[in-house]
Amino acid sequence: MNSARLLIVDDEKDLLELLVKRLIRKGYEVKCAETAEDALLLLKKHMFDIAIYDIRLPKMDGIELLKKTKIIQPETEILMLTGHGTIETAIEAMKIGAFDYLTKPYNLSELEITIQKAEESRKLKHKNDSMKEIIKQHNEFQIIGESPIFTEVLELTRRIADSNVPVLIEGESGTGKELFAKALHYWSCRADEPFVAVNSAAMPEQLLESELFGHVKGAFTGANYNKKGLVEAADGGTLFLDELGEMPILLQVKLLRFLESGEFRRVGDVRERKVMVRVVAATNRNMEDEVAKGNFREDLFYRLNVVKLTIPPLRDRKEDIPLLINYFINKGKIEGKRLSPEALFELQNYDFQGNVRELQHIIERGNLLSRSDQIEAADLLLPTRKFAQIEKLESLCSLEELEKIHIEGVLNNVKWNKTKAAEVLGISVRNLYRKIDQYKLVEECH
C-alpha cells in the first residue's frame, strides 16, 4: 500500500473522477478539486506529498496555483498536466518548482510511474534535510576550559586534527572524551564528512561485528537483507570507537586488520571492501594494564596509540569549575539563577568522581530544588553533606539507614513536594510513597 497523500486539480470532471478512483485503488490517499480556489482551501487544511495540477483551469490557472502551493506547502512535489499548446508553459512551471509535466492525453501507467518518482524524490529530500540537521547538531558542541592543563590538551587536539593517524583518548568517565573525538573531526578537513560513533560496550559480540562491518543476506538467522556497517557509513570521515577496552578479543583481530589495510569483509561475505576513515578510540581504562592482563591485544594497542590524548579529571582543573557552571546555567536557560558563594565554595572543594558530567547533573538538581533565584549549597545535595549526617551516627549505618537519610533529606529540601522529590531521586511517585511508609517518614511541622 502507498502512503503518499495526493491532491489532484482538473476542471474536466469525468477525467478527474477516473483518475481519483484509479489512484485510490492503488492505495493512495487522494483529495481533488475542480478549481484552484478550492484546491487552496484544501492546502490550508491538509498536508499533501504530491499535487497534480492541470495548467488550464478557470479563473486562477495551474501556474499561479503552483506558485501559491510552494508558499503554503514548499515540500510538496507538483506534477503539471498540459495540452500540446502549453508545453512551453509547463517547462516554465518546472523552472518555478514543478517536479515534472505530462502532456494530455497521458497514459495512466506513465502518470503512476511519475508519481512514484516524485514520491522517491520527496523522501530523498527529507532524508537529506534530516541528515543535515543531524550533522548540524553534532557540529554544535563546546569544550569549556581555560586551565593550563586543559588548554594543553586542546592545543594538541588542534595540531593533530588534520592528520590521518589513529588517536587514543584516555580519561575517566564524564571527562568529555567524545567531545574531543568530535573536535578531532570537526576541526579537520573531514568536517563535512560523517562522524560515526560505536559503543563497544553497548551490544553483544556477534551484533557488534555486524554493526561495525555489516553483513550479507543469510549470514546468520535474522539476516534477511544486506546491511552496510558503520565502517562503511564513516567512509571519508571519522569512526569513533567508544569504550574500546570492552571490545571482544576476536573482534580486536578484525579491527587490527582493518586499521592496517583499510580493508574488511561484511559478516558472511567473501568479498573484500575498502574505505578511508580516520579512527579515534576512547577508553576510561588503563590500556597498558589491560594489555598486561591479556584483555587487550598488544599489537592493536600500539596501532591505535599513535597519538594519545589524556583528558584531565575535573579535580585537576578546578579553576574551570566557574566557567562550566555558567555554561550549564546558560545552556539550561535558567533565567536569573546564580550560585550562592557557599554553594560555589562547596563545588570548588568537592571531589568530582563523575567529573564534568556529574557537575552538570548537580547544577540541574540545584536549579530544580532552589526556592529562589539563588542556588544554595543545600540545594546541591552533595554526597559530602549526606555523609556528614551519617558521621553523626554512633556507628556505621546500613544501606537502609543511608537510603532513609537521603530520601528524608530530599523531601525536606523540596518541602515534601512528592512529585519533585521523586524526580530528584530518580524513582516513581508510587515507589516514593512505598519508601515513606517503609521508613515511617513524617513531614516536620513548622
Side-chain angles (χ1 to χ4, degrees), residues 61-336:
D61 65 14
I63 298 295
E64 190 62 28
L65 178 58
L66 163 65
K67 291 177 182 176
K68 291 183 181 295
T69 301
K70 283 299 177 183
I71 295 171
I72 299 169
Q73 295 190 30
E75 293 183 0
T76 302
E77 295 287 9
I78 301 171
L79 310 179
M80 306 301 295
L81 303 178
T82 177
H84 288 292
T86 55
I87 289 178
E88 287 184 5
T89 310
I91 294 171
E92 187 64 29
M94 290 186 67
K95 292 179 182 178
I96 296 170
F99 175 75
D100 204 348
Y101 72 92
L102 282 84
T103 55
K104 288 183 173 182
Y106 52 81
N107 183 293
L108 286 175
S109 297
E110 182 186 359
L111 175 61
E112 287 170 15
I113 291 170
T114 309
I115 290 172
Q116 288 172 10
K117 288 179 179 177
E119 188 178 2
E120 289 168 3
S121 172
R122 187 179 181 281
K123 286 179 179 177
L124 185 60
K125 284 179 184 176
H126 179 72
K127 184 177 180 181
N128 286 342
D129 288 343
S130 298
M131 286 303 296
K132 286 176 184 176
E133 184 59 30
I134 290 169
I135 289 170
K136 181 184 174 185
Q137 289 172 5
H138 275 299
N139 204 355
E140 291 176 351
F141 68 97
Q142 282 186 277
I143 301 180
I144 309 295
E146 295 178 356
S147 59
I149 189 173
F150 197 69
T151 304
E152 189 178 330
V153 182
L154 276 174
E155 179 57 32
L156 178 57
T157 303
R158 290 188 186 280
R159 282 166 51 197
I160 63 174
D162 263 335
S163 170
N164 290 318
V165 300
V167 177
L168 180 62
I169 304 175
E170 287 190 347
E172 296 176 7
S173 293
T175 49
K177 295 186 291 296
E178 185 167 353
L179 284 178
F180 277 86
K182 286 182 177 181
L184 285 167
H185 178 78
Y186 291 112
W187 293 351
S188 77
C189 55
R190 289 172 289 273
D192 293 330
E193 301 299 331
F195 174 86
V196 178
V198 187
N199 190 319
S200 303
M203 57 191 78
E205 180 177 347
Q206 298 81 359
L207 185 58
L208 180 58
E209 182 179 358
S210 172
E211 283 293 308
L212 199 57
F213 297 116
H215 64 250
V216 295
K217 184 178 179 181
F220 49 83
T221 304
N224 300 321
Y225 54 88
N226 291 336
K227 179 185 176 182
K228 181 187 289 188
L230 296 176
V231 163
E232 286 178 83
D235 193 12
T238 301
L239 181 69
F240 174 50
L241 302 173
D242 201 6
E243 303 289 356
L244 180 71
E246 305 291 336
M247 183 170 286
I249 288 287
L250 290 176
L251 195 54
Q252 291 176 29
V253 177
K254 296 182 179 181
L255 178 61
L256 175 62
R257 183 174 178 276
F258 169 69
L259 285 169
E260 289 175 339
S261 65
E263 296 178 345
F264 66 96
R265 292 179 185 174
R266 290 181 179 176
V267 177
D269 201 357
V270 295
R271 293 168 296 178
E272 295 284 351
R273 300 171 188 268
K274 189 164 186 172
V275 293
M276 290 289 292
V277 298
R278 203 270 183 89
V279 176
V280 177
T283 180
N284 57 12
R285 298 187 180 189
N286 184 309
M287 295 309 293
E288 284 92 343
D289 289 348
E290 294 301 305
V291 169
K293 293 174 186 175
N295 296 331
F296 201 84
R297 289 181 62 97
E298 185 176 21
D299 45 7
L300 177 57
F301 169 67
Y302 287 118
R303 189 71 184 81
L304 286 167
N305 193 30
V306 178
V307 179
K308 182 192 289 185
L309 292 176
T310 302
I311 316 302
L314 187 54
R315 61 183 171 275
D316 289 347
R317 56 182 189 105
K318 289 196 171 181
E319 56 263 62
D320 289 334
I321 288 176
L323 292 174
L324 289 162
I325 289 170
N326 288 335
Y327 173 74
F328 291 134
I329 287 178
N330 292 330
K331 181 184 175 185
K333 297 178 181 176
I334 305 170
E335 295 294 337

Side-chain angles (χ1 to χ4, degrees), residues 414-432:
V414 299
K415 294 184 176 179
W416 278 71
N417 181 325
K418 298 179 184 65
T419 302
K420 211 171 190 180
E423 188 177 346
V424 173
L425 292 165
I427 60 177
S428 67
V429 176
R430 186 178 178 182
N431 194 9
L432 176 58

